[in-house]
Amino acid sequence: MRVGVLTGGGDCPGLNAVIRAVVRKGVSEYGFDFVGFKDGWRGPLEADTMTLDVASVRGILPRGGTILGSSRTNPFSIDGGVDRIEGNFASLGVDALIAIGGEDTLGVATKLADHGLPVIGVPKTIDNDLNATDYTFGFDTAVTIATEAIDRLHTTAESHHRVLVIEVMGRHAGWIALHSGMAGGANGILIPEVPFDLDEVCGWVESRFQSSYAPIICVAEGALPSDGDLITKDASRDAFGHVKLSGIGDWLAAAIEDRTGKESRAAVLGHIQRGGSPTAFDRVLATRFGLSAIDAIHDGDHGKMVALRGTDIVRVPLADATGELKTVPLARYAEASAFFG
Ligand code: F6P
């Protein structure tokens, strides 16, 4: 059997660990051979491939990024896109595909599975916002990086008696902000799920200074003030219709300084959260997802996504993962609020 593999959407630490596990087990246990599709859905659309064998996956376990490359290409926004993919699969002799991605990449995989293409999905996103899996790989690495940044911001904030706002990723879901803010002891955490009240945030800032500590506010890029709009970089949209976020950190630091008179600065972590080597947790999760995905291909159990439930890797219908996003439940946010201010 010949299996295609692609990685789509924003990259994420652990992608290479999945690719390695898929290929190693696929070759040694099932005798499959592989086609690497380059740059997400662009690869199958344009029949742009690379060799994917045991030699090409040696040494990639600890490496961030993806050896296959990634893009946000959407075949459903291109005329005849699906027919081109089907034609290219036939001419390349591809029998099944493993698509490693987040909501957009797996959304395409779900629709292609409905068209009858044999696809298995592997969930990836640092945002941890995919439904039907307890965790996605990449999230633990992003939280670890953001937590270390918060630890560092505490000491400089205290030396200068400043407010430090840290902006982390999280377009629709505030998981990175919630976990890194909790782990780093932030004095306020702002997430997209709960519009924030600027007066309340300023109240946390004042009360933190009263106890002689400098406040750290951890804000997700998709958080928005209760009486304002989402802050975006510009008006452009990607192939899936997403605007470019970032800017809330600077906006918030300026607003806090304006209202409280306390000097405030913002640090925007940006793509640092997505780069570099995965944590041990993410390497293990990504490896287990890869092993399970190739088993699903062998079993012909198509239209499924591998998922973490507790400590088990299970298979769920792709549609369960992509129907709606997994956002932070209000009760989880309420837990963290014990430390605000
Ligand atoms: O992959 C999701 C994500 O991490 C979002 O939180 C963020 O908005 C987006 O990626 C930014 O990615 P890029 O700059 O690559 O478009």
Side-chain angles (χ1 to χ4, degrees), residues 21-35:
V22 160
V23 173
R24 289 283 293 274
K25 187 168 186 182
V27 170
S28 65
E29 212 152 297
Y30 300 126
F32 294 161
D33 75 321
F34 290 89
V35 176

Side-chain angles (χ1 to χ4, degrees), residues 55-312:
S56 59
V57 300
R58 290 240 184 268
I60 66 171
L61 172 65
R63 271 179 55 199
T66 160
I67 59 166
L68 295 175
S70 194
S71 75
R72 296 192 190 273
T73 307
N74 181 359
F76 285 93
S77 68
I78 294 167
D79 252 0
V82 177
D83 293 342
R84 271 165 64 188
I85 290 178
E86 280 175 337
N88 288 334
F89 275 17
S91 58
L92 291 165
V94 170
D95 302 300
L97 177 75
I98 295 180
I100 312 167
E103 56 162 323
D104 297 326
T105 305
L106 296 186
V108 170
T110 309
K111 289 196 219 161
L112 290 178
D114 292 344
H115 272 72
L117 256 84
V119 189
I120 295 293
V122 176
K124 80 76 233 190
T125 163
I126 64 164
D127 294 349
N128 195 41
D129 58 0
L130 267 175
N131 240 330
T133 184
D134 289 352
Y135 286 101
T136 48
F137 65 85
F139 173 63
D140 185 65
T141 306
V143 169
T144 302
I145 293 166
T147 302
E148 195 201 325
I150 294 174
D151 288 348
R152 289 174 186 278
L153 292 175
H154 273 294
T155 62
T156 179
E158 267 151 35
S159 305
H160 290 269
H161 319 289
R162 279 177 181 152
V163 183
L164 247 308
V165 175
I166 175 163
E167 179 186 306
V168 298
M169 281 187 174
R171 177 177 286 278
H172 307 291
W175 290 108
I176 298 176
L178 181 75
H179 280 230
S180 62
M182 239 182 169
N187 314 109
I189 299 172
L190 308 176
I191 62 174
E193 294 85 342
V194 184
F196 63 86
D197 176 45
L198 190 54
D199 287 332
E200 189 180 22
V201 175
C202 290
W204 299 338
V205 163
E206 304 276 19
S207 91
R208 186 71 180 170
F209 276 120
Q210 271 156 26
S211 52
S212 302
Y213 288 103
I216 306 282
I217 306 294
C218 182
V219 59
E221 61 183 354
L224 73 164
S226 46
D227 57 356
D229 291 326
L230 198 63
I231 294 175
T232 57
K233 238 182 186 148
D234 52 46
S236 63
R237 286 177 187 269
D238 67 21
F240 290 92
H242 303 305
V243 289
K244 281 195 198 117
L245 295 181
S246 184
I248 185 69
D250 284 317
W251 181 90
L252 188 61
I256 291 172
E257 184 165 309
D258 190 47
R259 291 211 183 186
T260 65
K262 302 288 185 195
E263 198 182 8
S264 306
R265 296 278 199 278
V268 181
L269 263 193
H271 296 84
I272 291 169
Q273 287 156 102
R274 277 194 351 214
S277 191
T279 58
F281 180 91
D282 280 339
R283 292 181 202 187
V284 172
L285 181 58
T287 298
R288 293 183 72 208
F289 277 162
L291 297 173
S292 178
I294 202 67
D295 288 343
I297 294 279
H298 173 256
D299 296 344
D301 195 10
H302 303 137
K304 298 284 172 59
M305 182 188 84
V306 295
L308 180 71
R309 290 278 169 82
T311 55
D312 294 331

Side-chain angles (χ1 to χ4, degrees), residues 309-322:
R309 290 278 169 82
T311 55
D312 294 331
I313 308 292
V314 299
R315 295 176 197 163
V316 298
L318 261 170
D320 287 4
T322 52

